[in-house]
Amino acid sequence: MRESVQAEVMMSFLVSEELSFRIPVELCYETCDPYAVRLTFHLPGDAPVTWAFGRELLIDGVGRPCGEGDVHIAPVNAEVLGEVLIRLQVGCDQALFRSSTPPLVAFLDRTDKLVPLGQEGALAEFDAHLDEALDRILAEEQSAG
């Protein structure tokens, strides 16, 4: 059974130190992919852009700097957990967003009620899709080799 948690959060898109503007960001968590959250950014004049990354990364990033590679999340001030910075990077291009912490925590709390952290692997649907994907990859490798 496919269930989801969705929320819309207003975030600041930080173009430079002098320029930023607020944009709506859709947050989505689905039981069919229980380890990930998706953030869809609606930038003016562009098609929506969706980023998927680990739910645990977002949970950890609310309280402390974390992330490697393309996604980094950190509180603006570690002593006052009021805002979070989310940096997304592809090659040399990067985008920086600032969000209030409470709506992120509320969203994460709702995801935890749907699938408690650490219980993601118990979802049979996810395991079945993973098994199918692994079987398909192995079959492709065997036919290519």
Side-chain angles (χ1 to χ4, degrees), residues 1-120:
M1 183 159 137
R2 183 180 186 144
E3 296 181 65
S4 66
V5 172
Q6 297 178 334
E8 184 174 286
V9 175
M10 291 301 290
M11 292 188 187
S12 293
F13 175 44
L14 307 173
V15 179
S16 68
E17 287 187 29
E18 300 84 26
L19 178 62
S20 69
F21 51 92
R22 300 199 31 93
I23 61 167
V25 178
E26 293 173 17
L27 286 73
C28 184
Y29 175 80
E30 297 180 322
T31 56
C32 65
D33 190 2
Y35 293 100
V37 293
R38 285 176 174 65
L39 277 64
T40 301
F41 300 93
H42 296 273
L43 299 172
D46 286 332
V49 175
T50 300
W51 278 75
F53 52 86
R55 172 173 68 155
E56 196 166 349
L57 176 63
L58 185 57
I59 291 168
D60 291 346
V62 166
R64 64 177 175 80
C66 63
E68 294 181 19
D70 296 342
V71 181
H72 293 260
I73 303 173
V76 171
N77 180 342
E79 302 200 7
V80 181
L81 301 178
E83 292 184 308
V84 174
L85 290 175
I86 300 172
R87 184 172 56 89
L88 308 172
Q89 186 166 347
V90 176
C92 295
D93 295 330
Q94 72 173 356
L96 186 61
F97 299 89
R98 181 185 294 226
S99 174
S100 177
T101 302
L104 296 179
V105 170
F107 169 77
L108 290 167
D109 183 57
R110 290 174 50 218
T111 70
D112 192 62
K113 286 183 171 106
L114 184 60
V115 179
L117 191 62
Q119 300 297 312
E120 298 91 347

